[in-house]
Amino acid sequence: MTRQMLIDAVGDILREDGWRGLGVNKIAFRAGVDKKMIYWYFQSYNNLLRTYIKSKDFWIPVFEKFQSEGAELDQELPDFIRSIFTELFNVFYTEPEMQTFIHWQISDSRPVLREISEEREFQGAKIAAMTDPHFKGTGFNFRAVLALILGGVYYVVWHAKMNQTSVCGIDINVEKDRLDLIRSIGQIIDLVWDAAGKEVA
């Protein structure tokens, strides 16, 4: 129970004060426990942060599903990729904590955040590698396309949630624009995938 209270306290502070509000004393105070409990349950402050982020990270269950299914995916590869990025948008749009800790990870150079980012990249590369044969010799770099979609999702959501503003006239706080953006993610993936197929043919 105390362990979960400490994890929850990290999330509470992130939502209310951002990552700059975090600290051993503040987390312990918010959880209502002695700060020694952080070291008892997590061995270090960084390990508490690591545990919290991994408990909230959209990508962890994606990688776990991929590892369990591997090449035996229950859908075609482009459909699988499309479903990942569509769900990423839906989760990122609705989860303030994930919005905050991803922003934290690109704004702070502390080792624990870099470690988590590198692990996410390492696992994601295994999925991206499955798409490489389809694009070999086509002149298309599908990984670059996915990087642009990923960055675009984060950027558009941050604008909508933090500043209540639109990007290129798209305001995802409006349902129509939100659905248009989701549809466009799939269209971009399909268009590039199909174009590469025609290039080989």
Side-chain angles (χ1 to χ4, degrees), residues 17 23 55 63 75-76 78 86 89 96 117 120 130 147:
D17 304 319
S55 75
F63 297 146
Q75 57 190 149
E76 294 296 322
T86 298
F89 173 81
S117 295
R120 190 187 295 126
M130 291 186 67

Side-chain angles (χ1 to χ4, degrees), residues 80-120:
F80 177 61
I81 300 295
R82 189 188 318 110
S83 68
I84 289 175
F85 282 86
T86 298
E87 185 61 16
L88 168 68
F89 173 81
N90 288 326
V91 170
F92 198 64
Y93 176 76
T94 57
E95 292 292 337
E97 289 174 65
M98 186 176 176
Q99 294 162 23
T100 300
F101 76 67
I102 293 294
H103 189 222
W104 180 24
Q105 285 183 269
I106 66 169
S107 305
D108 193 337
S109 62
R110 70 180 65 197
V112 66
L113 300 179
R114 184 168 59 252
E115 173 195 318
I116 292 169
S117 295
E118 289 174 350
E119 175 63 18
R120 190 187 295 126

